[in-house]
Amino acid sequence: MQPDQTVRFFGGENIPLEMHKVRVVQKLSLPPIENRLTAIQDAGYNTFLLKTRDVYLDMLTDSGTNAMSDAQQGAMMQADDAYAGSQSFERMQTAIREVFGKEYVLPVHQGRAAENILARSYIKAGNLIPMNYHFTTTKAHIDLNGGRIAELLYDEALILRSDNPFKGNMNIDKLRAVIAREGAKNIPFIRMEASTNLIGGQPFSLENLKEVRKVASEHNIFIVLDASLIGENAYFIKQREKAYQNASIGDILREMCAQADIVYFSARKVSSSRGGAICTSNKAIFDYLKVLVPLYEGFLTYGGISVREIESIAVGLYETLDESVIGQSPSFIDYLARQLDVGGVPVVMPPGGLGCHVDAMKFLPHVHQKEYPAGALTAAFYLASGARGMERGTMSSVRDENGNDVLSDVELLRLAFPRRVFTLSQTKYVEDRMKWLYSKRNLIGGLRFVEEPSVLRFFMGRLEATSDWPEKLVKAFRADFGDSL
């Protein structure tokens, strides 16, 4: 099914419509490719270390970069600055109760802060956490507290180009086998991630989540739902799961959350530019977790979040129920992915949430995973376009006890689409430059680390090119585009 914000033009092309008008703008610049080469070299070929003055389109992430609505901006003006007992928190708590259906709320400054509290509270050395797929910060918190993870996807989820609508589903047979092997007492909780980030923003079905709930209840194991992209997951359920095509986004969201004992989210993705929360309807869970919030975050009614952001979170949560809001990014992602797919560029299909994901191993089959093809492609695309994407592959992985790279299941360049930020002309520019880069793909080589942090190395690590391929790419660009930026 096509996203419902896509219309057919007279010439036959399906085009996504912006369901908003622009009222505040921010100036952009597009540096010449020679300047981009200097910038990416200075950044150690790590797009996280680029300066925004050197970036035309910032597609690094949707975290904290979504456009805020006029209603959110207006709500921020009524913020209650009280350290304790803030009315702003009461409004956020009410929104979470109505949107997610969870009674108790613990505010935190962002999603990984919630992961820290959950990991410290529940994970002991040797514990195992089954999940549909890991996220980088989640795995780091579990590792640091002595736990392990078990990724329980269906095998076909890693077939990047397919017609499987729910690649984020947890394999129920694998889940039962893990519980039988480990014992329920060694499994503090099962984690489900709404719209699995690292395999292309792929959703799970509500039917699958209910099956996970059934197994968890049989063994008295908690379910923890990472709801950072729950709106997009709910949107895909409505689009792709027949039983819910006539359900509202609100009904789907509440039914999803009803399956989980604990829901946590990063408001940087869900509704605002900062903040997050842990939510539950279980008073015992709430009381157990709340003692760590004042220690690591702030008092229970602000949790390290600006009260202005708390006001915007409350409004943004309600806006998540609006399909014209929540469907904006998926419709543009769908458009770009399908245009690239038609042009022969290998992308994750069907398109997911968060961003358009390019399959770096098929794009650069000549670059070995130990030379970080997704990282190389991300750097090369910045050179070609001035657009900053994010590597989601072996650079984002870790090393084993012998110092060898743990090779990622997939190597992806993620081009994030923050909500209501980019225009169609900018999207078509990205499409054009990606198609050009694909035509020059044999010029692109690998990368190697020269500075490598031991934890979350993809954030701060620096690399260098394994040859002079960046200079060759610049030369090819000038040969084809002349003086154009």
Side-chain angles (χ1 to χ4, degrees):
M1 178 182 294
Q2 291 291 327
D4 58 10
Q5 293 180 48
T6 299
V7 298
R8 183 175 294 278
F9 274 32
F10 182 65
E13 187 177 9
N14 290 316
I15 299 290
L17 293 181
E18 293 91 342
M19 301 303 292
H20 59 270
K21 62 181 179 181
V22 176
R23 298 177 66 185
V24 177
V25 297
Q26 185 175 24
K27 182 177 172 57
L28 297 175
S29 62
L30 178 55
I33 191 170
E34 291 79 11
N35 294 32
R36 302 198 292 264
L37 176 60
T38 299
I40 196 67
Q41 289 172 334
D42 289 347
Y45 291 89
N46 183 346
T47 54
F48 272 98
L49 302 181
L50 287 169
K51 304 292 191 295
T52 55
R53 64 174 175 266
D54 297 317
V55 173
Y56 171 49
L57 299 178
D58 198 347
M59 308 181 83
L60 183 78
T61 181
D62 64 341
S63 181
T65 61
N66 295 306
M68 297 182 70
S69 70
D70 51 0
Q72 286 179 292
Q73 294 280 358
M76 292 173 77
M77 299 303 294
Q78 65 175 350
D80 175 4
D81 286 318
Y83 183 92
S86 168
Q87 295 174 61
S88 296
F89 172 74
E90 290 181 358
R91 285 188 277 273
M92 184 179 81
Q93 184 179 52
T94 297
I96 288 173
R97 286 171 176 172
E98 294 180 3
V99 175
F100 289 167
K102 295 300 184 188
E103 179 69 16
Y104 303 106
V105 179
L106 294 169
V108 293
H109 77 270
Q110 66 182 89
R112 70 195 57 169
E115 292 172 339
N116 176 50
I117 288 173
L118 291 170
R120 285 178 177 273
S121 297
Y122 289 116
I123 295 174
K124 296 179 175 58
N127 283 169
L128 183 78
I129 309 299
M131 55 183 66
N132 52 347
Y133 208 73
H134 80 278
F135 183 61
T136 50
T137 58
T138 317
K139 185 178 185 302
H141 282 299
I142 292 170
D143 289 347
L144 287 171
N145 284 276
R148 301 165 291 143
I149 66 170
E151 295 172 328
L152 305 181
L153 292 170
Y154 288 92
D155 293 345
E156 56 266 30
L158 297 178
I159 300 174
L160 296 184
R161 193 185 190 287
S162 73
D163 58 2
N164 183 346
F166 293 111
K167 295 180 183 179
N169 280 354
M170 179 172 282
N171 186 312
I172 302 302
D173 290 338
K174 289 181 181 179
L175 176 60
R176 290 189 181 278
V178 162
I179 295 172
R181 184 182 73 241
E182 293 286 329
K185 290 184 178 180
N186 199 42
I187 299 174
F189 58 82
I190 298 166
R191 175 181 175 272
M192 290 291 288
E193 182 178 326
S195 301
T196 46
N197 192 311
L198 296 184
I199 61 167
Q202 297 296 303
F204 56 73
S205 70
L206 194 39
E207 178 185 17
N208 180 253
L209 182 57
K210 288 181 176 180
E211 290 174 346
V212 175
R213 172 75 271 169
K214 181 181 177 182
V215 175
S217 296
E218 289 172 3
H219 297 278
N220 198 29
I221 300 173
F222 287 162
I223 290 181
V224 172
L225 174 61
D226 179 346
S228 296
L229 288 171
I230 194 171
E232 285 78 359
N233 205 120
Y235 179 81
F236 287 127
I237 286 172
K238 183 174 176 62
Q239 289 284 318
R240 301 175 182 178
E241 194 166 357
K242 187 175 181 180
Y244 295 94
Q245 288 179 1
N246 296 320
S248 70
I249 293 293
D251 288 343
I252 294 171
L253 281 173
R254 284 184 289 274
E255 192 164 352
M256 291 173 72
C257 292
Q259 311 309 312
D261 301 280
I262 299 170
V263 175
Y264 77 92
F265 66 89
S266 170
R268 293 174 65 88
K269 292 180 178 292
V270 171
S271 65
S272 184
S273 58
R274 299 291 183 274
I278 303 170
C279 321
T280 183
S281 290
N282 186 314
K283 181 67 161 53
I285 291 175
F286 173 77
D287 288 338
Y288 183 61
L289 296 176
K290 72 180 182 182
V291 297
L292 293 183
V293 173
L295 181 61
Y296 289 107
E297 300 300 304
F299 192 65
L300 296 174
T301 53
Y302 81 94
I305 319 171
S306 156
V307 287
R308 289 160 181 78
E309 297 290 350
I310 288 174
E311 293 283 1
S312 74
I313 291 170
V315 174
L317 284 167
Y318 288 121
E319 290 181 344
T320 299
L321 306 180
D322 184 339
E323 285 186 50
S324 71
V325 174
I326 201 65
Q328 184 73 52
S329 292
S331 65
F332 270 64
I333 293 165
D334 184 273
Y335 175 79
L336 177 59
R338 293 186 188 281
Q339 293 296 111
L340 292 176
D341 185 56
V342 168
V345 179
V347 292
V348 173
M349 296 291 283
L354 200 160
C356 176
H357 293 76
V358 183
D359 182 351
M361 282 198 280
K362 286 190 176 179
F363 200 111
L364 302 175
H366 56 283
V367 177
H368 193 278
Q369 275 194 274
K370 293 181 179 179
E371 293 188 346
Y372 312 116
L377 180 57
T378 303
F381 187 64
Y382 167 74
L383 276 176
S385 66
R388 169 166 68 166
M390 185 189 293
E391 184 271 356
R392 299 278 69 168
T394 299
M395 259 180 66
S396 296
S397 184
V398 296
R399 292 188 184 273
D400 63 20
E401 61 275 10
N402 298 315
N404 298 314
D405 275 313
V406 177
L407 302 181
S408 177
D409 292 323
V410 294
E411 296 281 342
L412 301 176
L413 158 57
R414 187 184 79 192
L415 299 172
F417 273 79
R419 291 182 194 168
R420 300 175 292 187
V421 170
F422 300 126
T423 66
L424 186 59
S425 67
Q426 290 169 334
T427 303
K428 292 186 77 65
Y429 169 80
V430 168
E431 173 196 340
D432 178 80
R433 290 301 189 258
M434 185 63 76
K435 287 178 177 177
W436 176 82
L437 188 63
Y438 189 61
S439 75
K440 305 297 181 184
R441 59 193 180 277
N442 290 335
L443 294 178
I444 304 172
L447 300 173
R448 55 177 166 250
F449 272 104
V450 293
E451 295 179 23
E452 186 177 348
S454 59
V455 178
L456 298 176
R457 62 184 182 176
F458 66 91
F459 277 136
M460 298 170 287
R462 291 180 177 273
L463 304 95
E464 64 182 6
T466 56
S467 68
D468 63 347
W469 66 261
E471 290 80 6
K472 290 179 179 177
L473 197 62
V474 171
K475 185 176 180 180
F477 183 94
R478 281 290 172 232
D480 286 349
F481 292 107
D483 294 335
S484 172
L485 296 175

